[in-house]
């Protein structure tokens, strides 16, 4: 398939991963409860990875596996974040740092996974690498069932939690019927697409998906604001949420290009030879997680240090720093792309050299430096965003609000897939401009947030 189609599929998959958090949160609130939602999510994700591994025998299993991972993550991702938030009082200064530690746990897996799958892919092929992901998820399931759940019970008994974590917050007797209708519709779409009745164009779907998500999110915000039973203070918090939602969507539309634009740059334009060994392209995806593991304690410690001395930065300031960090990361990539063109004697000569395999390639340190600033931006924005959402979300719809937060990441993923599709050998001349455009957009949104900081801070308080 073309790079545009491949990048669009990657964006659609990433977008659906986070979009599924909204119905997943609703199911947890109204039917399963947090504990069962996480457990079932683990099982379905494991089946998804194993299904992709078995696509060696049947190609259709690859797309079935993607669908299972999306469904499982919709349950798992939202509720695991909510459960972390339940352990902290809303005014506890350790809250942001607690989510930073939680974020470190996620990224230990994010660091190990590309190393394992990259090695297995180069030695044995992709399918064994995907299967290894399923085995890892089954191990996670055992840890949750036999360690995390007993610890939560003990915490609830000794410390106490304000909300239920092992049953639905507000049971809805119609929830099973809604779930059944969804799965019937899903199976119908799959059957029609596999039989050729529906012709799916990834690029067109990605473009339409972006608009549909934004419209649906907008209508849902309006419903919560005007038609729900939320209090006046809870509606004020929704205004803050909307501001952070769109700022986060811009950030993730750039950040998630590491799986498209960055992958292309690492694969085609980067010198990967180290001491006579060619580094697998996938290994570059571990850099972001490695920096998070190293820097998350530092950033979390800074937040606590400032809070204890009454210099705590507002959420808008942290968000702005996150956007600026990502902008600097893409500025570095713009310089890297420009260096390839200049080192190979101009655009035309560089394109020919890359196509013929004799180009002067970029140093891998460009990508490393860019990932450093992307990571700093992520640490300023993502864990803090999770913390804020669990703090301002109304109790009765807490999981749904967390789901809406993940919808902003969904929009970013889809846009990242569309943008990343333009990063290829044929568009080498426009690659620096692509990076510069991302830089200016990030900086512009950061400035807007800082301008409205005082207004939004009043809403937050």
């Amino acid at each position: 398939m073309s790079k545009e189609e491949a990048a669009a599929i990657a964006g659609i998959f990433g977008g659906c991963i986070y979009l599924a958090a909204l119905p997943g949160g609703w199911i947890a609130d109204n039917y399963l409860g947090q504990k069962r939602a996480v457990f079932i999510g683990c099982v379905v994700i494991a089946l998804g990875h194993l299904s992709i591994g078995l696509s060696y025998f049947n190609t259709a299993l690859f797309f079935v596996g993607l669908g299972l991972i999306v469904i499982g993550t919709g349950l798992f991702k939202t509720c695991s974040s909510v459960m972390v938030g339940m352990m902290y009082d809303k005014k506890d200064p350790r809250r942001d740092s607690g989510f930073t530690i939680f974020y470190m746990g996620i990224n230990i897996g994010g660091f190990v996974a590309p190393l394992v799958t990259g090695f297995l892919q180069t030695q044995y092929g992709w399918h064994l690498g995907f299967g290894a992901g399923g085995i890892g998820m089954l191990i996670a399931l055992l840890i949750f069932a036999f360690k995390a759940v007993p610890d939560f019970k003990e915490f609830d008994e000794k410390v106490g939690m304000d909300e239920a974590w092992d049953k639905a917050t507000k049971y809805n007797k119609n929830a099973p019927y809604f779930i059944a209708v969804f799965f019937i519709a899903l199976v119908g779409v799959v059957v029609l697409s596999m039989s050729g009745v529906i012709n799916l164009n990834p690029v067109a779907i990605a473009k339409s998906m972006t608009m549909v998500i934004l419209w649906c999110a907008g209508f849902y915000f309006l419903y919560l604001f005007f038609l729900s039973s939320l209090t006046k203070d809870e509606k004020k918090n929704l205004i803050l949420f909307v501001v952070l939602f769109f700022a986060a969507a811009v950030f993730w539309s750039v950040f998630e290009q590491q799986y498209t634009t960055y992958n292309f740059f690492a694969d085609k334009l980067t010198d990967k030879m180290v001491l006579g060994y060619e580094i697998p392209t996938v290994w570059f995806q571990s850099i972001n997680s490695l920096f998070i593991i190293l820097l998350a304690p530092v950033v979390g410690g800074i937040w606590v240090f400032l809070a204890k001395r009454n210099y705590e930065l507002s959420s808008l300031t942290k968000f702005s720093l996150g956007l600026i960090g990502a902008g600097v990361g893409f500025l570095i990539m713009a310089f890297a792309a420009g260096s390839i063109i200049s080192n190979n004697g101009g655009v035309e000569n560089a394109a020919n050299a890359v196509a013929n395999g004799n180009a002067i390639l970029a140093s891998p340190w460009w990508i490393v430096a860019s990932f450093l600033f992307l990571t700093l931006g992520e640490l300023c924005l993502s864990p803090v965003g999770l913390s804020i959402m669990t703090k301002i979300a109304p109790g009765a719809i807490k999981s749904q609000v967390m789901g809406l937060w993940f919808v902003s990441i969904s929009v970013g993923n889809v846009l990242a897939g569309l943008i990343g599709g333009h990063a290829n050998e044929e568009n080498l001349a426009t690659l620096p401009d692509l990076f510069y455009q991302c830089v200016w957009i990030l900086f512009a949104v950061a400035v807007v947030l800082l301008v409205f900081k005082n207004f939004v801070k009043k809403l937050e308080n």
Side-chain angles (χ1 to χ4, degrees), residues 320-342:
S320 298
L321 289 174
L323 292 162
I324 292 170
V328 173
F330 265 69
L331 186 62
I332 291 171
M333 292 304 294
F335 293 155
S339 71
I340 293 174
I341 294 174
S342 61

Side-chain angles (χ1 to χ4, degrees), residues 393-414:
I397 57 169
K398 188 177 288 289
S399 292
Q400 293 173 60
V401 171
M402 282 303 306
L404 277 172
W405 168 249
F406 287 124
V407 169
S408 71
I409 310 178
S410 173
V411 175
N413 271 269
V414 179

Side-chain angles (χ1 to χ4, degrees), residues 8 50 53 55 65 103 136-137 156 211 228 243 308 323 343 347 375 388 394 414 416 433 441:
L50 294 172
S55 65
Y103 213 66
M137 200 64 206
D156 196 11
M211 297 307 300
S228 67
V243 173
K308 287 182 177 180
L323 292 162
N343 290 339
V347 172
T375 302
I388 294 170
V414 179
D433 290 336
I441 291 173

